Amino acid sequence: MAKQKKQPRPKAVTPKGFRDYFGTEVTERTHMLSQIAEVYHRYGFEALETSGVETVEALGKFLPDVDRPNEGVFAWQEDEKDWVALRYDLTAPLARVAAQYRNDLPSPYRRYAMGPVWRNEKPGPGRFRQFYQCDADTVGAPTVAADAEICAMLSDTLETVGIPRGDYIVRVNNRKVLNGVMEVAGVLDPNDPEAMAEERGTVLRAIDKFDKFGEEGVRLLIGKGRMDESGDFTKGAGLSDEQADIVMGFMSARRDTGAATAARLRELVGGSVVGNDGVNELEYIAELLDAQGYGPDRILIDPSVVRGLGYYTGPVFEAELTFEILDEKGRPRQFGSVSGGGRYDDLVKRFTGQEVPATGVSIGVDRLLAALRAKGRMGGTPTGPVVVTVMDKDRMADYQAMVSELRNAGIRAEVYLGNPKNFGNQLKYADKRNSPIAVIEGGSEKENGVVQIKDLILGAQIAQNATLDEWKERPSQYEVPRSELVAKVREILESQKQ
């Protein structure tokens, strides 16, 4: 009889582009999501939770190819018919919900949503295929007062999670203004919007790289083209020097105040109707924010914000953290953007055939957490639970009673559930959990009605730094009546916070 081939053991590895999150990472994210939700709720937004799976048709941008739709999404075919995919963001599901329940939802509909999204893209350092987003959107409000409100809420949210004023800035721009500039530069014909679409796309991509290539590099990309250090040539948009001057003037139009910036932009858009509409909207947003006390130290009009201008139809905004951190090579750099959004009046129209105004913002929660950790405002060593040791396995009920008392008093606690034979292993376990306190009750303690409470934090400090005399004067283990267990544990925990 042939011997069966032994099945190889599966490799214990995380799939490429994904990662696992432990303990404090999960706790910190949950806390941050709760803080953000509190701000959104205070502004009158309602929670919405949609499925992690959408039809590819609903996602819109991604269509099946010969085998599967793999342009950025994780997708599969069901019953040889419909394609479905893990959601790419939280905006496409909102558009579907707004269309599907339009007769039942209030208008405007204000919702926030939080959760993981998946992108089938090449992973890189700090770039994962699954990450959390936190969105808030208003659907059905044509006034840019909704955009101003989103900006104010974004500012409040950053300060609530621990980014103080001065460490961030929310920048606001408008797609209509850029369209006006394009019209004046001769790259956009209002009577034939499809004409010169390729050139406009090249210009948009070029100015989106302003931070990377600088003024000279962008000017080359919107002109004849640019050759990089490796010798690779990128074809330009073919704009003349005069046309390039107009576009670059837009990029450098920011002034000290919103009103001065708007005045400069009005000069650039000239007689363009759509351009002047965009300037009017920016002026109105600045007026509304100023009335609420959001000055240029928190929110400012900045034409250099170009991210996503190909997607949005009106105002766009981006929150940038302005403090420096050290990169993996120890070089100082600014942390950069943690949030972006804007007005997208065409998205719901895909489902209904009617234009539905909408505006919203998305916060990259993982990037925000990384920023706070980089500044030392989060990510310290987490405190574990109080550990009740087991001196006699036949008295497990007594130990569980102690833990119950501690938990009912609001104190995090657990009984050691490993092999209790070696007491040293129990203390090693408590040390690995970073437990602040160990509770000990052997047979003699039980007989005398007392418990031993060991301050593990103080004990570690004494072991490291104290002389023998200091060690004797600062005991880290206390014997107290069993009835005073909760009170003494709470007292020690409070002292450890100081």
Side-chain angles (χ1 to χ4, degrees):
M1 184 176 177
K3 188 176 181 180
Q4 282 190 338
K5 188 177 180 180
K6 189 176 180 180
Q7 286 289 103
R9 293 175 179 170
K11 293 181 179 179
V13 296
T14 309
K16 186 177 181 181
F18 295 84
R19 61 158 298 194
D20 301 307
Y21 297 86
F22 294 89
T24 186
E25 293 177 301
V26 178
T27 302
E28 288 173 348
R29 182 204 289 141
T30 301
H31 177 62
M32 177 174 284
L33 290 174
S34 176
Q35 290 179 306
I36 295 172
E38 184 179 336
V39 178
Y40 288 176
H41 195 263
R42 191 164 69 238
Y43 270 74
F45 287 75
E46 296 291 339
L48 171 68
E49 185 174 310
T50 60
S51 166
V53 175
E54 293 282 339
T55 67
V56 169
E57 183 183 24
L59 290 177
K61 181 181 177 183
F62 310 99
L63 299 174
D65 57 19
V66 176
D67 298 316
R68 67 182 184 92
N70 58 1
E71 289 295 324
V73 297
F74 291 99
W76 63 95
Q77 192 174 25
E78 294 205 327
D79 301 327
E80 298 183 356
K81 292 181 181 180
D82 297 330
W83 284 87
V84 294
L86 292 174
R87 64 190 180 199
Y88 182 85
D89 63 11
L90 298 175
T91 309
L94 170 64
R96 190 260 304 161
V97 165
Q100 184 176 350
Y101 301 100
R102 61 186 179 277
N103 295 327
D104 303 317
L105 295 172
S107 184
Y109 173 51
R110 301 151 67 84
R111 84 88 175 88
Y112 69 87
M114 304 175 176
V117 298
W118 296 266
R119 298 190 179 178
N120 189 3
E121 299 172 342
K122 184 178 180 180
R127 185 181 183 89
F128 298 101
R129 289 170 162 176
Q130 175 181 316
F131 53 93
Y132 266 73
Q133 283 190 337
C134 191
D135 288 17
D137 297 78
T138 299
V139 179
T143 171
V144 293
D147 301 86
E149 180 184 60
I150 292 283
C151 292
M153 186 169 70
L154 178 56
S155 174
D156 288 354
T157 299
L158 292 174
E159 293 182 17
T160 296
V161 302
I163 308 294
R165 213 167 295 183
D167 273 359
Y168 75 90
I169 196 72
V170 178
R171 306 180 189 276
V172 187
N173 195 7
N174 196 308
R175 171 64 194 267
K176 293 179 181 178
V177 178
L178 180 56
N179 282 349
V181 171
M182 294 267 204
E183 186 179 334
V184 172
V187 193
L188 174 64
D189 183 352
N191 298 315
D192 186 6
E194 298 303 317
M196 301 189 71
E198 183 178 344
E199 289 83 352
R200 284 198 305 280
T202 302
V203 172
L204 281 172
R205 288 188 293 273
I207 61 179
D208 197 22
K209 294 181 173 65
F210 187 84
D211 289 342
K212 183 178 181 180
F213 295 142
E215 181 176 347
E216 181 180 351
V218 172
R219 184 177 281 274
L220 288 171
L221 287 171
I222 64 178
K224 296 178 180 179
R226 177 182 179 274
M227 184 176 292
D228 64 20
E229 295 176 356
S230 67
D232 288 338
F233 181 76
T234 302
K235 182 182 177 183
L239 271 62
S240 67
D241 290 342
E242 292 76 12
Q243 290 173 309
D245 287 341
I246 296 171
V247 174
M248 298 310 297
F250 168 77
M251 295 293 295
S252 59
R254 197 182 91 192
R255 299 294 185 264
D256 292 337
T257 66
T261 301
R264 173 59 181 146
L265 290 173
R266 202 175 293 282
E267 293 174 0
L268 289 170
V269 300
S272 168
V273 174
V274 67
N276 277 285
D277 284 346
V279 175
N280 291 339
E281 290 178 355
L282 286 178
E283 285 182 326
Y284 188 40
I285 289 173
E287 177 187 337
L288 293 175
L289 291 171
D290 184 62
Q292 298 174 71
Y294 296 91
D297 61 325
R298 303 166 76 183
I299 306 173
L300 59 81
I301 305 300
D302 186 353
S304 69
V305 177
V306 294
R307 172 182 287 181
L309 280 176
Y311 171 76
Y312 295 109
T313 60
V316 292
F317 22 87
E318 183 175 82
E320 177 185 333
L321 303 188
T322 56
F323 55 74
E324 283 190 344
I325 61 168
L326 298 179
D327 64 13
E328 61 276 2
K329 295 184 178 180
R331 298 169 300 191
R333 65 176 181 85
Q334 283 202 327
F335 194 88
S337 174
V338 293
S339 176
R343 178 163 289 273
Y344 51 97
D345 288 348
D346 293 335
L347 204 59
V348 182
K349 185 179 180 180
R350 293 179 47 246
F351 296 94
T352 64
Q354 300 173 335
E355 186 173 289
V356 179
T359 186
V361 68
S362 181
I363 295 176
V365 175
D366 295 311
R367 278 188 60 77
L368 257 184
L369 286 169
L372 289 170
R373 291 183 186 121
K375 292 294 286 184
R377 297 170 187 165
M378 190 176 280
T381 304
T383 300
V386 172
V387 172
V388 175
T389 60
V390 176
M391 305 300 291
D392 183 350
K393 62 182 180 180
D394 294 329
R395 291 182 39 240
M396 183 60 74
D398 289 342
Y399 303 129
Q400 293 287 5
M402 290 185 199
V403 159
S404 182
E405 286 181 38
L406 292 168
R407 291 170 179 164
N408 289 338
I411 298 170
R412 190 180 181 211
E414 65 173 72
V415 174
Y416 178 73
L417 295 177
N419 187 342
K421 188 174 181 179
N422 188 322
F423 180 70
N425 286 344
Q426 298 192 50
L427 292 183
K428 287 180 181 178
Y429 170 81
D431 182 58
K432 202 163 189 178
R433 294 297 311 275
N434 198 38
S435 299
I437 292 171
V439 178
I440 306 165
E441 187 192 62
S444 60
E445 284 88 7
K446 174 68 174 176
E447 186 176 335
N448 294 321
V450 298
V451 291
Q452 301 287 338
I453 301 178
K454 188 173 182 64
D455 183 337
L456 299 176
I457 305 298
L458 179 59
Q461 293 172 348
I462 291 174
Q464 285 183 356
N465 304 316
T467 64
L468 178 61
D469 290 337
E470 289 173 329
W471 183 85
K472 290 178 180 178
E473 292 175 5
R474 298 171 60 199
S476 61
Q477 186 162 315
Y478 311 87
E479 182 178 277
V480 299
R482 168 68 178 80
S483 60
E484 296 179 13
L485 168 67
V486 171
K488 188 61 179 178
V489 166
R490 181 175 281 129
E491 176 188 319
I492 294 172
L493 290 175
E494 287 299 321
S495 69
Q496 290 173 348
K497 292 178 183 178
Q498 298 173 0

